[in-house]
Amino acid sequence: MADTKREIERKYEGPPAGGDAPLPDLTSVPGVSGVIDKGVAELDATYYDTADQRLATASLTLRRRTGGDDAGWHLKLPVSEGVRDEIRAPLSDTVPEDLTALVRSRIREAELVPVVRLLSARDIRHLVDASGTLLAEVSVDRVRAERLSGGAGSAEWTEIEVELADDGDPAFLDKVEKKLRKAGIKRSASASKLAKALDDTAPRKPEKAGKPGKAGKVADVSKATTKAPKPEPPDSTPRTAGDHILTYVRAQRDAIIELDPAVRRDVPDSVHRMRVATRRLRSTFRSYGKILDRTVTDPIGVELKWLAAELGVDRDQEVLTEHLTTALDDLPSDLVTGPVQARLSTWSGARRSGSRQHLIAVLDGKRYLDLLTTLDTLVAGPPLCEAASKKPEKVIAKAVRKDFEKVADLVGEALELPPGSERDLAMHDARKKAKRTRYAAEAATPALADPAADLVKSMKSLQTLLGDHQDSVMVRGALRELATEAHAAGENAFTYGVLYGRAEQRAAAVEAELPGEWEAIEDKGAV
């Protein structure tokens, strides 16, 4: 079974391999009382990736390492600069299935093969405080890299790593770095050993021979010691309407892929965040049908709706149960009659139709992986319409205003209806449209700036208010079911009636607040 360790470290350049890599006196670093020499560990690591290096491109590393005190398989997932989650699994001859699953969204059906072998002599020192507590581990690594696929190159170098102790204060690394900088030690230009190894061992293109001159002589290049400047990378700043929408689409595609390992690991809020990314993407396709051809995006939207539903299995029931549990906890004890909590638990458990095993099966399934590939294809060759080449101030603003007008119609319809099921449904429809308009405004913000950002805030506020109303509707429906079951079992249904009345009051409060909220939003207008 794999376990996880949060790794916070910084890497620094050492002198060329074979030279000395002296460290300054680290006992003078504030907070350090001692530097303990832990000896030299011989490490042998083989890194795995696809033939086209999909993991390395995403800054992921997967290795099998022997030597040291943490021999085994290690998968490192980036969290932020200098911070990674290291997922560990015991040594085995093949890549553990648990780790393969965590990179499935990257590799799809591609095979993982050995790409680089790193042999490291790691000279380790522990920085400790006055009580002997470990603050950080500093190591000087003398590394030899051997290319195993895509070439046969090798390279050697020395680097310094400073890894923060578990639960340590990241500010301590700044203090160590200040000392290293004073000693002339600079940060490494490579994000990881693997990145440096792949770069240093990559096959080099053969140099072109000089062209013969008129007399048949080869041009003299002995004095041409200055390399020609590299061409500037193309400007990626979004300019057209299509540029802006594709930037947003790409961000949501990336979010789905990047959140896949977190969902598999059951990281808090990861399922919700992936579900939101699928909804944002689907909403964007629908809102910006004048920019992206809907004959192409509509079928993808169907698949995104399916994925959102799969991600929502159990989640909606969990949220509803949380609302009911909170409402019950808020009741004075003298208003609770009968086994209400026990019945609520039984009712909730019976309605949980999914499981983590089901969700993992979805993420491993062909339909989901095909969807990811389809999204990659769309981003690589977007089905742009004629309007995509136009200025965003016109095309994008028009799409957002159109969505806003639909929200206005639905809110107006809801306000004209008397309280009851028809108004409940109209308010729910308005909430869904407000969410879509919010996502459209999010995509528009880089192009339209403050007006779009203001609309995002307005739609989020409206969505929250209408969401509170919908929660009340769902809670009241659940309470009717619970009361019916309790009555059939001969239990007192009084408490369910009390809770129902409170939920009804909350809905009435939202309905009373909506006219003023909407008037304020209308006064601001759309973009």
Side-chain angles (χ1 to χ4, degrees), residues 267-340:
V267 173
D269 202 39
S270 59
V271 171
H272 171 69
R273 289 165 59 202
M274 182 186 274
R275 195 180 186 192
V276 168
T278 64
R279 287 172 166 172
R280 281 178 168 143
L281 199 48
R282 181 167 174 256
S283 291
T284 301
F285 291 157
R286 298 176 71 184
S287 294
Y288 294 106
K290 296 294 185 182
I291 294 175
L292 294 172
D293 186 353
R294 288 195 59 171
T295 62
V296 176
T297 61
D298 278 357
I300 302 175
V302 171
E303 294 304 287
L304 289 168
K305 184 178 181 180
W306 161 77
L307 178 58
E310 293 290 1
L311 291 166
V313 171
D314 287 347
R315 177 56 184 165
D316 292 339
Q317 180 64 37
E318 288 172 6
V319 171
L320 181 56
T321 301
E322 288 172 6
H323 283 306
L324 289 166
T325 301
T326 299
L328 182 60
D329 290 343
D330 289 342
L331 275 186
S333 58
D334 59 345
L335 295 181
V336 180
T337 59
V340 180

Side-chain angles (χ1 to χ4, degrees), residues 123-176:
D123 191 357
I124 304 169
R125 295 167 179 79
H126 282 183
L127 308 186
V128 298
D129 63 14
S131 66
T133 300
L134 179 65
L135 299 172
E137 179 177 284
V138 180
S139 62
V140 179
D141 293 347
R142 292 177 173 83
V143 186
R144 175 175 173 78
E146 299 174 355
R147 191 83 171 207
L148 301 179
S149 65
S154 64
E156 294 185 4
W157 71 90
T158 300
E159 70 178 37
I160 298 167
E161 283 189 8
V162 182
E163 181 176 349
L164 190 68
D166 293 347
D167 302 320
D169 181 1
F172 177 71
L173 295 181
D174 294 332
K175 299 176 183 178
V176 177

Side-chain angles (χ1 to χ4, degrees), residues 475-515:
V475 164
R476 281 179 282 160
L479 287 168
R480 282 193 293 268
E481 287 187 37
L482 285 163
T484 300
E485 292 180 6
H487 179 75
E491 298 166 7
N492 192 323
F494 169 77
T495 300
Y496 305 105
V498 174
L499 291 172
Y500 189 98
R502 289 192 167 197
E504 201 170 40
Q505 288 178 346
R506 285 195 296 275
V510 170
E511 293 177 17
E513 185 179 348
L514 180 59

Side-chain angles (χ1 to χ4, degrees), residues 29 63 140 169 217 444:
V29 174
R63 73 186 178 201
V140 179
D169 181 1
K217 295 182 180 179

Side-chain angles (χ1 to χ4, degrees), residues 57-380:
T57 300
S59 299
L60 278 66
T61 60
L62 173 64
R63 73 186 178 201
R64 181 186 186 275
R65 190 168 79 181
T66 58
D69 58 4
D70 63 346
W73 287 91
H74 307 147
L75 170 64
K76 297 192 178 187
L77 306 173
V79 177
S80 58
E81 184 178 359
V83 182
R84 295 185 291 183
D85 278 343
E86 184 177 270
I87 319 298
R88 298 176 175 178
L91 275 176
S92 60
D93 292 335
T94 58
V95 182
E97 181 55 37
D98 286 353
L99 300 189
T100 301
L102 292 177
V103 297
R104 184 82 67 202
S105 65
R106 300 287 184 184
I107 67 172
R108 316 289 163 77
E109 301 301 325
E111 182 184 4
L112 289 168
V113 297
V115 291
V116 167
R117 183 185 184 191
L118 296 184
L119 301 171
S120 304
R122 170 164 289 182
D123 191 357
I124 304 169
R125 295 167 179 79
H126 282 183
L127 308 186
V128 298
D129 63 14
S131 66
T133 300
L134 179 65
L135 299 172
E137 179 177 284
V138 180
S139 62
V140 179
D141 293 347
R142 292 177 173 83
V143 186
R144 175 175 173 78
E146 299 174 355
R147 191 83 171 207
L148 301 179
S149 65
S154 64
E156 294 185 4
W157 71 90
T158 300
E159 70 178 37
I160 298 167
E161 283 189 8
V162 182
E163 181 176 349
L164 190 68
D166 293 347
D167 302 320
D169 181 1
F172 177 71
L173 295 181
D174 294 332
K175 299 176 183 178
V176 177
E177 180 162 313
K178 184 177 180 180
K179 185 67 177 178
L180 295 177
R181 281 203 316 268
K182 286 183 178 180
I185 298 173
K186 302 182 299 181
R187 284 273 197 112
S188 174
S190 299
S192 66
K193 285 185 175 67
L194 176 61
K196 181 171 178 59
L198 289 172
D199 184 56
D200 289 358
T201 65
R204 303 300 178 189
K205 293 182 180 180
E207 295 183 4
K208 294 181 179 179
K211 295 182 179 180
K214 290 183 179 179
K217 295 182 180 179
V218 176
D220 182 6
V221 295
S222 61
K223 297 181 180 179
T225 57
T226 303
K227 293 182 179 179
K230 293 182 179 180
E232 291 293 326
D235 186 2
S236 60
T237 303
R239 300 186 186 280
T240 66
D243 291 340
H244 282 279
I245 299 310
L246 284 174
T247 296
Y248 190 76
V249 166
R250 190 177 295 108
Q252 306 318 312
R253 185 279 310 266
D254 291 348
I256 293 171
I257 293 173
E258 290 167 5
L259 284 165
D260 180 291
V263 170
R264 293 174 185 270
R265 294 163 56 205
D266 202 18
V267 173
D269 202 39
S270 59
V271 171
H272 171 69
R273 289 165 59 202
M274 182 186 274
R275 195 180 186 192
V276 168
T278 64
R279 287 172 166 172
R280 281 178 168 143
L281 199 48
R282 181 167 174 256
S283 291
T284 301
F285 291 157
R286 298 176 71 184
S287 294
Y288 294 106
K290 296 294 185 182
I291 294 175
L292 294 172
D293 186 353
R294 288 195 59 171
T295 62
V296 176
T297 61
D298 278 357
I300 302 175
V302 171
E303 294 304 287
L304 289 168
K305 184 178 181 180
W306 161 77
L307 178 58
E310 293 290 1
L311 291 166
V313 171
D314 287 347
R315 177 56 184 165
D316 292 339
Q317 180 64 37
E318 288 172 6
V319 171
L320 181 56
T321 301
E322 288 172 6
H323 283 306
L324 289 166
T325 301
T326 299
L328 182 60
D329 290 343
D330 289 342
L331 275 186
S333 58
D334 59 345
L335 295 181
V336 180
T337 59
V340 180
Q341 184 61 64
R343 177 156 296 283
L344 174 58
S345 297
T346 302
W347 173 85
S348 176
R351 281 156 181 76
R352 293 195 63 182
S353 58
S355 65
R356 278 203 55 76
Q357 288 76 14
H358 172 77
L359 180 54
I360 298 303
V362 167
L363 298 183
D364 283 335
K366 185 177 186 300
R367 186 174 182 179
Y368 168 70
L369 297 177
D370 284 349
L371 172 58
L372 297 186
T373 300
T374 300
L375 292 174
D376 288 345
T377 302
L378 180 138
V379 168

Side-chain angles (χ1 to χ4, degrees), residues 466-479:
L466 295 174
D468 290 343
H469 185 274
Q470 180 63 16
D471 288 342
S472 171
V473 172
M474 299 302 294
V475 164
R476 281 179 282 160
L479 287 168

